[in-house]
Amino acid sequence: MKKALCVVGTRPEAIKMAPVIQALRREPWAQVRVLATAQHRHMLDQVLRLFGIEPDIDLDIMRPDQALTTLTARLLLDLDDVLLAERPDVVLAQGDTTTVMAVALACFYHRVPFGHVEAGLRTGDMDNPFPEEMNRVVAGRMARWHFAPTATARQNLLREGVPETSIHLTGNTVIDALLDVAARRPAIGVALDDAKRLVLVTAHRRENFGEPFREICRAVRDLVDRNADIQVLYPVHPNPNVSTVAHALLGGHDRIVLCPPLDYLPFVGAMQRAYLILSDSGGVQEEAPALATPVLVLRRETERPEAVDAGVVRLVGPDHDRILAEAQRLLDDETAYAEMARGVSPYGDGKAAARIVDVLRSAFHD
Ligand code: UD1
Ligand code: UDP
């Protein structure tokens, strides 16, 4: 038996690691252990519950409005104890959160092979997204296996000198999770007006905190005021830098529904039902194209160029006038809308986890 320690910290990591954990559990050679750093608490727990995953170890690291340095330091201290006690043969983690960066570094110090799920995403700009670009570069430097979701991500790694033999093109596991959940035809569970077109909003990026985020909120409010036939559903991220401003600028409007983060099942229902999505989320940029829902991305840069190149996602930045103009165009112009609502899936075919497990099986078992 080989011991595989699968690490999850935040909501998107749990969504994207769930298919890997489930697939590994079916392997007779693998003893799967799940470590929740719980960098997120409620948002993590709801995903683990949905996919029937009970963590074996829970570091309960989340604190309200925790600083990145504190978070990193506390993670490293706790991970030291975990790696000494568990002595895993392989550690797997996904993406670019502070959890993943700390896990990769701790594995390096303990000489434990690290497998990076969703490897090779890059903007080339350390400030966008912040601190995720640095996190994934650090995690990538430590990785023994790089599970690249797309050919672009694979190319990014090759350009950085990563040996070709340690890069595996797998697709993104988010599509595995999405297809599973979308097939359940989830209800949104929030009272909405069926006669109105739904604009779904999410925002949480640190580089947008302050004025850029206020601009986003003002654009959302102006869009609703100019279009009597739309309503906004905005599940507000619990980071106080986001929630305080969102409630101050968007609260009290009769066609803007602010709610706590939706569980993954109803959120997928909302993405399916939405006419248009405004979001700075990484995961949403990957999922919405597969559901044929156009996304305007509230960021200056994206590490996910594939959907932009396919014309089904558009980068508008946290720019009031641009958000308003692009959203209005999609509300008014049926042809422009149809071009963006084509339903393409550049990020995967739902079999990424199986490919990751194939690689590990041949490394450890065959
Ligand atoms: C983190 C990741 C980001 C990822 C995002 C997904 C880092 C630095 N950031 O951002 O890459 O895109 O998760 O959502 O790793 N909070 C709660 N309850 C929760 C979760 C968060 O109250 O369940 C609040 C807490 O006050 C917490 C704050 O949000 O301190 C920030 O959480 P943190 O994990 O540091 O960063 P996110 O902004 O969530
Ligand atoms: N999501 C969710 N509920 C919400 C908002 C998002 O379940 O209220 C899901 C979304 O479908 C995607 C993931 O959470 O799979 C993205 O998380 P987030 O935007 O927080 O992080 P990012 O992907 O930007 O790292």
Side-chain angles (χ1 to χ4, degrees):
M1 291 290 271
K2 295 290 176 188
K3 190 191 267 193
L5 183 66
C6 297
V7 184
V8 292
T10 67
R11 166 175 66 194
E13 292 161 66
I15 292 168
K16 291 171 171 183
M17 282 298 289
V20 178
I21 293 168
Q22 289 170 336
L24 261 181
R25 279 191 172 153
R26 289 191 287 270
E27 294 294 296
W29 56 271
Q31 182 198 356
V32 182
R33 301 273 290 168
V34 176
L35 164 63
T37 66
Q39 178 180 330
H40 285 174
R41 186 70 277 170
H42 169 77
M43 294 207 294
L44 177 75
D45 295 343
Q46 55 92 7
V47 179
L48 295 176
R49 255 193 323 271
L50 172 65
F51 290 103
I53 296 167
E54 176 109 25
D56 300 290
I57 309 152
D58 192 322
L59 301 182
D60 201 22
I61 219 88
M62 196 196 91
R63 296 289 177 273
D65 204 14
Q66 184 156 226
L68 291 176
T69 36
T70 315
L71 171 64
T72 306
R74 294 181 60 230
L75 280 167
L76 281 172
L77 284 174
D78 284 2
L79 287 166
D80 222 16
D81 295 341
V82 171
L83 292 178
L84 281 172
E86 290 287 317
R87 304 203 165 280
D89 296 293
V90 54
V91 172
L92 299 171
Q94 175 279 331
D96 52 20
T97 64
T98 296
T99 285
V100 179
M101 188 266 291
V103 166
L105 191 57
C107 285
F108 175 70
Y109 290 147
H110 285 265
R111 317 301 268 171
V112 177
F114 171 65
H116 192 200
V117 177
E118 196 184 85
L121 274 63
R122 298 286 185 271
T123 60
D125 178 352
M126 286 297 173
D127 295 324
N128 287 290
F130 172 88
E132 289 83 0
E133 180 76 359
M134 174 63 88
N135 286 345
R136 57 195 172 214
V137 166
V138 172
R141 288 295 294 177
M142 312 294 168
R144 159 70 187 80
W145 296 275
H146 303 255
F147 300 111
T150 65
T152 311
R154 181 173 176 277
Q155 280 306 323
N156 291 338
L157 292 165
L158 289 172
R159 241 194 328 271
E160 289 176 11
V162 175
E164 198 168 357
T165 49
S166 65
I167 308 173
H168 304 275
L169 187 56
T170 58
N172 197 310
T173 56
V174 77
I175 303 298
D176 303 25
L178 177 72
L179 295 182
D180 169 1
V181 168
R184 306 186 203 182
R185 304 210 146 272
I188 307 176
V190 176
L192 295 168
D193 180 347
D194 285 341
K196 295 198 168 27
R197 289 186 286 183
L198 179 65
V199 177
L200 179 64
V201 177
T202 82
H204 69 86
R205 302 242 79 86
R206 279 167 199 260
E207 66 273 15
N208 283 343
F209 287 177
E211 188 48 27
F213 183 53
R214 281 195 288 277
E215 253 195 67
I216 291 170
C217 290
R218 285 194 289 265
V220 169
R221 198 170 183 111
D222 288 347
L223 187 71
V224 178
D225 285 339
R226 285 179 195 188
N227 295 277
D229 68 326
I230 68 167
Q231 64 191 326
V232 161
L233 173 62
Y234 177 4
V236 180
H237 194 286
N239 192 319
N241 299 283
V242 170
S243 56
T244 314
V245 181
H247 284 279
L249 296 188
L250 298 175
H253 195 293
D254 62 349
R255 281 180 292 115
I256 300 178
V257 180
L258 300 180
C259 64
L262 289 177
D263 287 359
Y264 189 49
L265 205 64
F267 187 76
V268 170
M271 284 194 290
Q272 288 176 308
R273 154 90 157 78
Y275 179 83
L276 171 65
I277 300 177
L278 308 180
S279 177
D280 65 10
S281 164
V284 171
Q285 285 176 70
E286 295 158 342
E287 294 164 333
L291 300 174
T293 308
V295 187
L296 297 180
V297 179
L298 309 169
R299 300 193 195 189
R300 293 191 175 85
E301 314 251 11
T302 181
E303 59 289 269
R304 295 169 170 88
E306 296 85 356
V308 177
D309 293 344
V312 295
V313 160
R314 187 160 294 163
L315 207 59
V316 294
D319 173 331
H320 171 275
D321 295 356
R322 183 109 199 267
I323 296 168
L324 209 52
E326 296 279 1
Q328 194 64 53
R329 196 170 72 96
L330 292 173
L331 289 171
D332 294 343
D333 181 342
E334 274 179 32
T335 314
Y337 183 82
E339 275 168 17
M340 279 192 81
R342 277 186 286 113
V344 300
S345 187
Y347 299 106
D349 59 1
K351 298 184 180 123
R355 294 190 188 98
I356 290 168
V357 170
D358 284 348
V359 172
L360 295 172
R361 190 188 308 111
S362 46
F364 285 113
H365 188 62
D366 291 347

